Amino acid sequence: MSKEHELSQHVMTEQEATRSSNGCSHGGFKGLLDKSLAKMGLSKSEQKKLDREEELVDLAVAILNVHGFAGLSLEKLTAESRYSKGTIYNHFSSKEDCLSALCIRAISSILDLFKRALAFDGCSREKAVAVHYSYQLYARLEPTLFMTVLSSKAPGVREKTSLERQKIIDELEFEVNNFSDAMFRNAVADGSLKIPAHLTIETLTFSNWAMSFGTNILATSAAEAKAVNRLDPNTILLQNIGIVLDGMNWQPLSKDWDYQKTWQRVEREIFADDIKLIG
Amino acid sequence: MSKEHELSQHVMTEQEATRSSNGCSHGGFKGLLDKSLAKMGLSKSEQKKLDREEELVDLAVAILNVHGFAGLSLEKLTAESRYSKGTIYNHFSSKEDCLSALCIRAISSILDLFKRALAFDGCSREKAVAVHYSYQLYARLEPTLFMTVLSSKAPGVREKTSLERQKIIDELEFEVNNFSDAMFRNAVADGSLKIPAHLTIETLTFSNWAMSFGTNILATSAAEAKAVNRLDPNTILLQNIGIVLDGMNWQPLSKDWDYQKTWQRVEREIFADDIKLIG
DNA sequence: CGTCATTTTTGACGAATCGTCATAATATGG
DNA sequence: CCATATTATGACGATTCGTCAAAAATGACG
């Protein structure tokens, strides 16, 4: 009874796809997953599906940033995309599955940043500081995507996530853990870190993760809470991990080294381009 | 065309209200807000509204625990309560507002636990350990309610929360901060803690919060992740805050004191009754 | 090319939830 | 007992969810 659809042809199937994929200017990190896979032997349709998936995740990120967290719906994703309900559900088995796709995007990006941070020219503890810096950088550049990592862990979300994606997430987290473990092992190797009797590498990785994660989550999500806004957002994390690394007795201790300077060097020497985007 | 309502009288207005309020056996913490307010001069209708609000929050907690996070809807709350849509929306301006009400319940309970923990018989650092213990206890007893504290900080949620409740939350967090600050000031006073030059009381409160929060969040929400399940859930937090308190140089350091024993004493001497509920 | 089988895409649909609002019920006070 | 103010009710339109039969695109083969 209501109006007919007057534009039943929005079928410019290919041109737009490539255009929108190249011209993407949302300025976010995208990870390098696709590039490494693209070269391998994939059928044309598989490649096409991957491209579209990336396009859709881009769109989902955009929606997430505009409409916030609860505002992300596959309905909206459908409406703003060139595809229809069924196609969307062909990629994401549910809203939660889509969220997990965003989580994958986030963790991949973070891993990339970690690897860049590791190139910092300094002693092993300074490298660790650089890695924490990069983590905070991501939390500030992409606050919503950062939160994604947490929310995709909620039981309700994980349950509704496709097994494929669950597996990818697990693998990525495994990689992050290995990365962290390796960092500590290097420090042990070069003599600057002696692991206390009652602790293990695994504990150290976890405590670093917990502190950095907790700090960033609270700093980005509780920015207006009194406990947080009475502190300097730029150096809270530095101070907090300073305490942790001191507690692990990782040399040189804060009292013997100016990590503030390290922090600034990391900013200048590794992430100068990225920091501009914070505004 | 469909069925008529055959029971337009479910009007047993008072009896049920009081019965359900007393007989509540959900075993959760409820905080003590109401009791302290009940005695003041309140009109009958105001008192009734408060009672009903408590009843509704109880119900919401139950729904949250059964249907998980996304499953909490005011629709469901309406259906399971003795009231109707309009009445529910009279209490909670939105689903998010309801979530914030749960958050208030959670923070109140946590504050109660903190105060109980402070009664632990030990040195000032042991008291702090006891407080962290109580925090973890809550995270394990009421994982979903614990998460509530975080999710009610998400921008989308906070925006839709009534100003009243926002204010209550802010006040509660203020109280928690004061509590923590005071703990550190006591330690400074008794000489066991000397605040390092580059740090402040505020920083210490925040770093303790961040570590405890991060650890508990990761432990409860990422239990199946590899980084977490390779550790002993019962003592992760103890180890993590051990590192932090050592990093603050709070005496006696872990190497000079068996905090594992303290941890167990706290469990036995203060929270023996509560720990049974974990199963 | 044309044909037909397979795969992908479409959008209509029913169910659930959201928040609003006119109407009905109840409480209050003279 | 009535008049007025407050509160409760549930029907409603809008939005989202996930499904599915039908339509369209693809591509293998003659």
Side-chain angles (χ1 to χ4, degrees), chain A residues 59-101:
Chain A
L59 228 185
V61 170
I63 294 177
L64 196 67
N65 281 327
V66 172
H67 296 90
F69 217 74
L72 175 63
S73 68
L74 292 194
E75 204 80 27
K76 232 173 248 153
L77 186 58
T78 296
E80 302 206 12
S81 77
R82 304 180 287 110
Y83 311 101
S84 72
K85 216 63 169 295
T87 304
I88 300 295
Y89 273 86
N90 222 9
H91 282 273
F92 310 115
S93 66
S94 67
K95 176 186 177 173
E96 287 76 16
D97 195 39
C98 177
L99 202 66
S100 291

Side-chain angles (χ1 to χ4, degrees), chain B residues 54 119 124 146 223:
Chain B
E54 208 198 327
S124 61
F146 179 73

Side-chain angles (χ1 to χ4, degrees), chain B residues 119-138:
Chain B
F120 179 74
D121 179 35
C123 68
S124 61
R125 178 162 162 172
E126 281 186 293
K127 280 179 194 285
V129 168
V131 170
H132 281 287
Y133 178 96
S134 72
Y135 197 41
Q136 191 219 30
L137 182 66
Y138 189 78

Side-chain angles (χ1 to χ4, degrees), chain A residues 5-278:
Chain A
H5 294 86
E6 352 192 337
L7 286 179
S8 46
Q9 32 105 340
H10 44 27
V11 213
M12 42 194 86
T13 331
E14 281 304 289
Q15 305 101 327
E16 267 205 26
T18 46
R19 243 195 297 134
S20 77
S21 187
N22 294 336
C24 119
S25 63
H26 60 50
F29 303 99
K30 291 251 292 273
L32 303 167
L33 282 182
D34 40 347
K35 284 167 201 157
S36 55
L37 292 174
K39 300 295 167 58
M40 309 176 69
L42 289 174
S43 76
K44 203 169 290 182
S45 70
E46 280 168 323
Q47 182 56 51
K48 212 165 116 190
K49 188 162 185 182
L50 279 184
D51 287 345
R52 190 171 48 197
E53 179 123 343
E54 208 198 325
E55 180 191 345
L56 288 177
V57 173
D58 284 344
L59 228 185
V61 170
I63 294 177
L64 196 67
N65 281 327
V66 172
H67 296 90
F69 217 74
L72 175 63
S73 68
L74 292 194
E75 204 80 27
K76 232 173 248 153
L77 186 58
T78 296
E80 302 206 12
S81 77
R82 304 180 287 110
Y83 311 101
S84 72
K85 216 63 169 295
T87 304
I88 300 295
Y89 273 86
N90 222 9
H91 282 273
F92 310 115
S93 66
S94 67
K95 176 186 177 173
E96 287 76 16
D97 195 39
C98 177
L99 202 66
S100 291
L102 298 180
C103 168
I104 291 173
R105 165 77 60 92
I107 302 185
S108 303
S109 303
I110 289 171
L111 244 179
D112 288 345
L113 289 181
F114 279 8
K115 286 169 185 166
R116 281 174 59 195
L118 206 60
F120 180 74
D121 180 35
C123 69
S124 63
R125 179 162 162 173
E126 282 186 291
K127 280 178 194 286
V129 168
V131 170
H132 281 286
Y133 179 96
S134 72
Y135 198 40
Q136 191 219 30
L137 181 66
Y138 189 78
R140 298 225 272 162
L141 281 178
E142 302 279 1
T144 326
L145 268 181
F146 179 74
M147 292 289 289
T148 281
V149 179
L150 174 60
S151 35
S152 80
K153 287 191 187 314
V157 175
R158 230 188 122 87
E159 281 163 12
K160 290 189 175 178
T161 297
S162 67
L163 292 175
E164 276 175 297
R165 257 183 262 272
Q166 271 191 47
K167 201 174 152 225
I168 296 181
I169 292 180
D170 288 345
E171 284 166 359
L172 281 171
E173 298 210 326
F174 182 66
E175 211 177 325
V176 173
N177 277 316
N178 281 347
F179 182 92
S180 171
D181 288 357
M183 226 171 49
F184 292 118
R185 263 192 285 273
N186 280 338
V188 170
D190 74 21
S192 62
L193 173 63
K194 296 190 201 321
I195 297 181
H198 56 112
L199 298 178
T200 64
I201 291 262
E202 286 80 13
T203 311
L204 297 187
T205 283
F206 182 69
S207 62
N208 272 262
W209 184 27
M211 178 56 106
S212 214
F213 186 75
T215 302
N216 285 321
I217 283 279
L218 289 176
T220 63
S221 81
E224 63 268 44
K226 301 221 173 58
V228 178
N229 70 9
R230 62 184 183 170
L231 302 167
D232 173 13
N234 292 306
T235 51
I236 319 178
L237 182 62
L238 174 61
Q239 292 179 324
N240 281 356
I241 64 153
I243 292 173
V244 167
L245 300 184
D246 280 358
M248 295 163 50
N249 202 31
W250 193 345
Q251 306 294 328
L253 300 180
S254 317
K255 66 184 171 61
D256 304 320
W257 188 274
D258 186 352
Y259 286 106
Q260 191 90 37
K261 201 161 286 176
T262 303
W263 196 252
Q264 286 157 0
R265 270 187 58 213
V266 174
E267 187 160 307
R268 252 183 294 115
E269 297 176 15
I270 313 274
F271 297 109
D273 294 342
D274 312 81
I275 197 71
K276 286 180 198 147
L277 302 173
I278 283 192

